[in-house]
Amino acid sequence: MKYIVTLSFSLLIVTIISAQNVGIGVPVPLQKLDVNGAIKIGSTATGNDGTIRYQSGMFEGYNSGTWKAFIQLPAGTLVASATNPNTALSNSGFTFFTSLYIDKDSAISSTPNSWLGVKTLNAPDTRINHASIWTGTKMIIWGGRLYGDNTSVKTGSINDPVTDTWNTMSPSSLSARSGSTAVWSGTQMLIWGGADLVGDPLNDGAAYNPSTNTWTLINAVNAPTARTSHTAIWTGTEMVIWGGNTISGSTNTGSKYNIATNTWTAIPTASAPAERFGHTAIWTGTKMIVWGGLPSSLVNDGAIYNNTTNTWDGPTSLINAPALRLSNTGIWTGTEMLIYGGLGFNPGVSIGSTGGKYNPSTDSWTSTDEFGAPPPIQNHTAIWTGTEMIIFGGRFESGGSSNTGAKYNPSTNTWTSNLPLLNTPSARERHTAVWTGNQMIIYGGDDINNGPLNNGRYIVNSEANINIQTKTVIHLFSKN
């Protein structure tokens, strides 16, 4: 049974519904306390959870043994939310302001045949035609032209793929440049040549020691003439520079640099291949093989250089050699040189998805199978894993940049087409790639469509606790 008692004191009406709601100035209260008018709250020293008081000019609430002030946020105050929209904030007088994307580090166990990102914190600016080498434990990026504004730079950074962290290199006394070559001596990175800010070739270089983060200029006495689009290989004791574009055109000259004595020795032109640039050069362990490139007319020939005797052994066979091209890739498997892709210059004739395997011990070529091979591309990268060649990126012969790749097994002469697309780096050409022993790291490059570039690393073999960087989104709301 309900008992309703109404007390009238002048203008005050209090309505009580027994054991239910209390109303002040309200005939039928809808809450435990329903007041039609203002309430004055005073101060108290004691309280229990849920008690409200007015103390020192502020309303306070009692919770877990302490009084906490109710503070009115001023207009423009930003608060963070993991979700957008956020109904609770909107109902509390907040309006969505913007979203922030924050890099977050985490360690994961990598999965074979998968892509991971490369951290951007302290990473070098995205660039093209830069130098890149693998030291055995780290990747070094240096020089090149900045992506988007074509400004040449002389800066660089070192990436540790285990922790995926970047460290900035000390400044070099070399001038800013793109198209320089780089080799790893075992303790130092040797940079040489390239083109300056206006495209003129250069004939200087320097050695960078990552252990001490210091640079040492390479002796310029008897150095090769200034050039770009040349090649450089490391023999184990010397850096060999050959070919390229000079101020007066392509050349078939070169020199070898002895890091121990800091001296240059000229390479003879007798029996050397014709002048060229955009060619490839590989080191077999005893000899350098030069192939392809662009002289006065495109060639599909090559030659073998004997570093021990400082002589040219003769040309490579033309029988079954790949078609004329430049801007192709060339790598050494331990027994064969693999040529793939590139730009053909025979009018109206596509080189297609062709390549070749050259065996110097028999001076013979074998065509690579085209089934499953990437589409016709140039300015791509190729690395050797120990059992397979991995191709990535480049410019399609039909136009546009590529973010696809494939693996080629020379033992079976077969392609495994299409690397996984999940988390693949964006489309690009003129980038660099290094092989760490279990992953291929892609960095920099140029997208013909001027799209944003994100770098990546392709995991071939599993490795526990690889650090990756993901992006966490935070939504900001502003107080009205």
Side-chain angles (χ1 to χ4, degrees), residues 56 88 97 186 297 309 420:
S56 302
F97 178 66
S297 61
T309 60

Side-chain angles (χ1 to χ4, degrees), residues 372-408:
I377 51 173
Q378 59 175 299
N379 296 328
H380 53 289
T381 52
I383 60 93
W384 176 248
T385 69
T387 57
E388 294 177 309
M389 173 178 68
I390 304 180
I391 299 290
F392 181 79
R395 177 183 292 194
F396 293 120
E397 187 179 80
S398 57
S401 302
S402 169
N403 71 335
T404 60
K407 295 185 287 187
Y408 174 74

Side-chain angles (χ1 to χ4, degrees), residues 282 329-333 336-339 382-384 388-390:
I282 61 95
T329 50
I331 62 170
W332 178 247
T333 70
E336 296 175 309
M337 175 178 68
L338 301 183
I339 298 294
I383 60 93
W384 176 248
E388 294 177 309
M389 173 178 68
I390 304 180

Side-chain angles (χ1 to χ4, degrees), residues 418-466:
N418 297 327
L419 301 182
L421 295 178
L422 182 63
N423 299 323
T424 185
S426 49
R428 69 195 64 207
E429 61 172 314
R430 295 184 290 177
H431 52 287
T432 55
V434 300
W435 173 247
T436 71
N438 56 27
Q439 55 185 291
M440 173 181 70
I441 306 178
I442 300 294
Y443 198 84
D446 179 24
D447 178 9
I448 192 173
N449 297 317
N450 297 316
L453 294 182
N454 65 298
N455 303 295
R457 41 189 175 151
Y458 173 64
I459 309 298
V460 175
N461 306 313
S462 62
E463 176 187 346
N465 297 324
I466 286 183

Side-chain angles (χ1 to χ4, degrees), residues 33-377:
L33 177 62
D34 195 340
V35 179
N36 181 14
I39 297 176
K40 186 177 186 303
I41 299 177
S43 177
T44 181
T46 61
N48 49 32
D49 286 357
T51 302
I52 299 174
R53 75 178 184 181
Y54 185 74
Q55 175 83 8
S56 302
M58 290 186 295
F59 288 101
E60 296 179 331
Y62 191 86
N63 183 46
S64 301
T66 184
W67 291 96
K68 297 180 181 179
F70 301 150
I71 300 175
Q72 173 67 37
L73 295 176
T77 300
L78 297 178
V79 297
S81 169
T83 60
N84 179 37
N86 188 313
T87 303
L89 286 176
S90 298
N91 292 340
S92 300
F94 287 85
T95 302
F96 173 71
F97 178 66
T98 190
S99 296
L100 298 178
Y101 295 86
I102 301 173
D103 291 331
K104 179 182 178 182
D105 295 339
S106 58
I108 67 167
S109 294
S110 58
T111 302
N113 194 34
S114 64
W115 285 98
L116 295 176
V118 175
K119 285 184 184 176
T120 57
L121 181 64
N122 297 324
D125 296 322
T126 302
R127 55 195 66 192
I128 63 177
N129 291 339
H130 51 283
S132 175
I133 59 99
W134 175 247
T135 70
T137 58
K138 296 177 175 65
M139 175 180 70
I140 302 180
I141 301 291
W142 188 84
R145 290 191 288 118
L146 296 184
Y147 176 58
D149 67 5
N150 285 333
T151 300
S152 295
V153 294
K154 58 175 182 176
T155 58
S157 293
I158 305 173
N159 177 263
D160 184 337
V162 175
T163 60
D164 196 15
T165 53
W166 291 93
N167 288 302
T168 302
M169 299 166 63
S170 63
S172 170
S173 58
L174 290 175
S175 59
R177 66 192 63 201
S178 63
S180 58
T181 50
V183 298
W184 177 246
S185 72
T187 57
Q188 299 181 83
M189 174 181 70
L190 305 182
I191 295 287
W192 198 85
D196 63 15
L197 295 172
V198 296
D200 290 337
L202 300 165
N203 74 329
D204 60 349
Y208 173 74
N209 188 325
S211 298
T212 58
N213 195 24
T214 55
W215 290 87
T216 304
L217 289 178
I218 291 176
N219 183 14
V221 177
N222 296 323
T225 53
R227 64 192 68 196
T228 187
S229 298
H230 56 286
T231 52
I233 58 97
W234 177 252
T235 69
T237 58
E238 294 174 308
M239 172 178 67
V240 180
I241 300 291
W242 192 84
N245 238 344
T246 69
I247 197 69
S248 57
S250 56
T251 182
N252 69 340
T253 63
S255 294
K256 52 183 182 175
Y257 172 72
N258 188 309
I259 192 172
T261 60
N262 194 25
T263 56
W264 289 94
T265 301
I267 295 175
T269 56
S271 300
E275 69 281 350
R276 65 193 67 200
F277 67 91
H279 55 285
T280 55
I282 61 95
W283 177 248
T284 69
T286 57
K287 298 178 181 181
M288 176 179 73
I289 304 177
V290 170
W291 191 86
L294 181 66
S296 55
S297 61
L298 212 64
V299 295
N300 68 336
D301 67 342
I304 301 175
Y305 169 73
N306 189 320
N307 185 61
T308 302
T309 60
N310 194 24
T311 58
W312 291 93
D313 285 354
T316 57
S317 173
L318 294 176
I319 299 174
N320 296 323
L324 311 178
R325 66 192 69 194
L326 82 161
S327 299
N328 55 279
T329 50
I331 62 170
W332 178 247
T333 70
T335 57
E336 296 175 309
M337 175 178 68
L338 301 183
I339 298 294
Y340 184 76
L343 175 66
F345 265 63
N346 278 341
V349 178
S350 170
I351 64 171
S353 300
T354 63
K357 301 187 293 182
Y358 176 73
N359 188 326
S361 63
T362 59
D363 188 27
S364 61
W365 286 94
T366 303
S367 297
T368 56
D369 192 359
E370 295 185 55
F371 180 75
I377 51 173

